[in-house]
Amino acid sequence: MSGKPVLHYVSVRGRMEPVKWLLAAAGFEERFIETKEDLQKLRASGSLLFQQVPMVEIDGMKLVQTRAILNYIAGKYNLYGKDLKERALIDMYVEGLADLNELIMYHDFKPANEKEENLANILDKAANRYLPVFEKVLKDHGHDFLVGNKLSRADVHLLETILVVEEFKPDALAKFPLLQSFKARMSNMPNIKKFLQPGSPKKPPLQEKEIPNLLAIFS
């Protein structure tokens, strides 16, 4: 095993994506689960504590459960605030973003006759619940970052979420000037800028043709 974290997950966008964002600066390896048999072998090896992925090999551990993975990486790479109060704020912002991302993640699996209504619901919540919150946080806080005056996992996850929402609605930030500036600053940070380039491990939106194989793996 190399010194870099090793990520075990399917080769599409999903629950591993925020892990990749946090590890963009550190670098990592990916080992894709392409078939149901691949997943069964991983389970049989004893590597999956709860028999499910994502799983990350890091610092001699095999970590599962997405939040536990993200918390460890954030702590390891100094993206988790300077004290308990900052950590509580970071957690609060990240959990709010996770609620929106959960809605987005399951959109592709909705029946065709429900997708239009579901997308409208996602965009309504983004525009009227979530984005206004972070616009206000930036205004009230008065700094370039959401918590303290340095980069945290909350900033990384907010940028990730903004970019996903813009895939559905390119002008999603039209009414949010501080978020526009935030996006521009974050996107130009060297490690993030590199991660956003074509050919990086960042995954594109899930394609409809990929869904049957994905369902077969986890069935």
Side-chain angles (χ1 to χ4, degrees), residues 12 26 31 42 51 58 80 86 94-95 104 112 139-140 163 167 209:
V12 297
R31 295 183 187 170
L42 201 55
Q51 302 296 305
I58 185 170
Y80 218 166
E86 287 195 354
V94 167
E95 290 300 315
I104 294 169
K139 180 180 179 180
D140 292 348
L163 295 178
E167 289 172 353
K209 64 181 180 182

Side-chain angles (χ1 to χ4, degrees), residues 102-152:
E102 198 79 3
L103 292 174
I104 294 169
M105 186 182 305
Y106 286 108
H107 174 68
D108 291 307
F109 298 92
K110 293 287 185 180
N113 64 334
E114 296 179 16
K115 282 192 172 183
E116 184 176 352
E117 183 179 354
N118 186 64
L119 179 57
N121 178 52
I122 290 170
L123 294 178
D124 175 69
K125 283 186 166 62
N128 296 305
R129 179 182 299 181
Y130 295 100
L131 295 179
V133 165
F134 291 102
E135 181 80 4
K136 185 175 187 301
V137 169
L138 288 169
K139 180 180 179 180
D140 292 348
H141 187 47
H143 293 289
D144 288 347
F145 302 105
L146 293 172
V147 178
N149 196 22
K150 63 175 293 188
L151 181 71
S152 77

Side-chain angles (χ1 to χ4, degrees), residues 1-65:
M1 178 177 169
S2 75
K4 291 182 179 180
V6 180
L7 282 53
H8 298 261
Y9 196 62
V10 289
S11 58
V12 297
R13 183 187 291 179
R15 295 190 184 277
M16 188 66 90
E17 204 66 11
V19 177
K20 294 178 187 177
W21 275 86
L22 286 193
L23 283 172
F28 53 86
E29 295 180 14
E30 294 183 280
R31 295 183 187 170
F32 294 125
I33 298 166
E34 303 284 1
T35 66
K36 188 171 184 176
E37 289 70 31
D38 290 342
L39 181 57
Q40 289 172 337
K41 287 178 183 177
L42 201 55
R43 286 170 172 165
S45 74
S47 297
L48 303 179
L49 187 63
F50 298 109
Q51 302 296 305
Q52 59 194 22
V53 290
M55 186 268 282
V56 173
E57 296 182 61
I58 185 170
D59 294 341
M61 300 183 291
K62 294 180 178 179
L63 292 178
V64 296
Q65 299 301 115

Side-chain angles (χ1 to χ4, degrees), residues 169-193:
K169 192 175 190 299
D171 65 345
L173 296 186
K175 297 180 180 179
F176 306 105
L178 296 180
L179 285 175
Q180 292 176 36
S181 298
F182 172 86
K183 174 192 168 187
R185 286 194 305 273
M186 289 287 295
S187 299
N188 278 301
M189 295 181 72
N191 291 322
I192 291 177
K193 186 174 183 178

